[in-house]
Amino acid sequence: MTRSTPIRPRPTRRWAAAAGLLVAATLAAPTAAVGSESSDGTPPLTVPAATAAAAMSCHGNLAAGSQAPVLFLHGTTSTSKANWSWNWAKAMKSAGRAYCLLDSPNGATGDIQVSAEYVVHAIRTMRARAGRPISIVGHSQGGMVGRWALKYWPDTRAMVDDYVGLSSSNHGSTSGVGLCLIQGGCSAANWQQSAGSNFLAALNDGPETFPGIDYTVIGTRYDEIVAPPTPSFLEPAPNVTNTMVQDLCPLQIVEHFGMAYDNAAWLIGIDALTNPGPAQLDRVSRATCLRPTMPSVNLLTFGLDVVSALGVTAKNTIGAETVPAEPELRDYAR
């Protein structure tokens, strides 16, 4: 039996004009992620989605492979290229593991509450593309800023599998407090990462970690930035491993910046990213403990890579806006 096709009336010019106005209004309207508050009280993202998306660069098929794709978060005064392109990103590419790099605005020297919104967008975007939870690796501020995102945007917690921090500023540092006072000001991010800041009090008020996420925090006893180094550690829990690289390799000498390429930090971090739960030192081989750099670092260009990365830090330090005090906490964090 032949099915007849119903006759549809032609749209009138008036209908077409109205439809055009509706489409135009829809395209002009802000996205739900910007300026709108969800029914559960999750704060709106004030950073436009297009701006946050432009700060991301992803490599490889996020949905492919057996290992979760990794989001890399850089430290204060750095960039994704300076912090990661010559070490961890190369390692991911060699292993065929997908990853994304995120650039925080102004070299991560501005208000960390704003930088955290970029992280929220990146987590949501990667989770949607991957179709599974992702992992996070952060250095210095990058090892802490994601915790702000997880704390105040609860939907992101189910989107993250492993969280690895390298010399993370989780509880701040005393090293820069006096300098900020002497100078009469610092960058917003430096104020916020100073021990005793309102930002850190809000970040660490209540549980510091969340079930379902495995946290590995890796520090070094020779850290001159997060000083003393132990405040980088998180509250003990079954899903948390706090360790120094010297716990694995006692003779390892590495300072704050070097944690981005250190071999012991790599061994511990990759153990966390490739096994269930947080890192376990008894699973990690000590056979390469005398090696100073992770395997993906090219020793022929190592000196140039370090100088280039430190040059970015110097440039962003000089160019950072100086403010007389830390930014006020957003309403949602008070």
Side-chain angles (χ1 to χ4, degrees):
M1 181 174 66
T2 303
R3 179 172 299 189
S4 60
T5 302
I7 299 174
R8 302 180 185 274
R10 284 187 176 182
T12 63
R13 290 183 179 178
R14 180 177 298 176
W15 182 91
L21 290 173
L22 178 61
V23 171
T26 301
L27 293 175
T31 62
V34 181
S36 60
E37 187 168 345
S38 66
S39 58
D40 65 357
T42 299
L45 296 182
T46 61
V47 176
T51 302
M56 284 182 66
S57 62
C58 294
H59 307 265
N61 184 348
L62 272 61
S66 58
Q67 302 290 339
V70 181
L71 171 63
F72 287 97
L73 306 176
H74 66 80
T76 311
T77 70
S78 191
T79 64
S80 63
K81 180 179 180 181
N83 211 143
W84 303 115
S85 66
W86 51 286
N87 41 64
W88 280 76
K90 284 182 63 178
M92 295 297 103
K93 185 176 181 180
S94 296
R97 186 166 183 169
Y99 64 94
C100 293
L101 302 172
L102 178 66
D103 277 298
S104 293
N106 304 310
T109 61
D111 188 348
I112 300 175
Q113 295 171 103
V114 175
S115 296
E117 293 193 19
Y118 284 75
V119 178
V120 172
H121 180 275
I123 292 173
R124 289 173 174 171
T125 300
M126 288 183 66
R127 174 63 178 84
R129 293 182 186 175
R132 54 182 170 170
I134 68 164
S135 294
I136 294 176
V137 174
H139 180 215
S140 194
Q141 181 193 140
M144 171 272 286
V145 63
R147 291 186 53 230
W148 188 273
L150 294 169
K151 182 179 180 71
Y152 292 108
W153 284 269
D155 66 295
T156 61
R157 297 171 196 168
M159 303 179 185
V160 176
D161 178 20
D162 275 292
Y163 193 111
V164 176
L166 308 173
S167 288
S168 308
S169 51
N170 286 315
H171 295 91
S173 170
T174 60
S175 65
V177 178
L179 183 60
C180 288
L181 295 175
I182 292 171
Q183 294 178 160
C186 270
S187 71
N190 279 352
W191 278 118
Q192 290 169 319
Q193 292 175 98
S194 296
S197 71
N198 294 327
F199 175 87
L200 290 172
L203 173 64
N204 296 306
D205 181 31
E208 295 185 3
T209 60
F210 299 100
I213 303 173
D214 295 317
Y215 297 82
T216 299
V217 179
I218 311 167
T220 173
R221 302 190 193 282
Y222 303 102
D223 200 322
E224 79 287 8
I225 302 297
V226 178
T230 49
S232 65
F233 288 174
L234 298 172
E235 290 179 341
N239 61 329
V240 175
T241 290
N242 294 308
T243 186
M244 297 289 176
V245 292
Q246 289 81 16
D247 295 333
L248 178 72
C249 301
L251 300 181
Q252 199 80 353
I253 299 176
V254 57
E255 41 67 65
H256 186 83
F257 172 78
M259 290 292 284
Y261 59 79
D262 180 71
N263 185 58
W266 154 259
L267 293 172
I268 299 169
I270 200 63
D271 177 80
L273 294 176
T274 55
N275 292 289
Q280 296 181 22
L281 296 193
D282 58 5
R283 284 191 307 226
V284 182
S285 171
R286 290 167 166 78
T288 60
C289 267
L290 295 179
R291 179 175 182 143
T293 63
M294 55 190 291
S296 60
V297 171
N298 185 340
L299 295 180
L300 295 178
T301 62
F302 173 68
L304 182 61
D305 292 330
V306 170
V307 169
S308 177
L310 291 177
V312 170
T313 290
K315 178 181 178 181
N316 286 335
T317 298
I318 295 171
E321 180 184 3
T322 298
V323 294
E326 71 168 293
E328 290 189 8
L329 289 175
R330 300 289 177 92
D331 288 341
Y332 65 78
R334 293 177 182 174

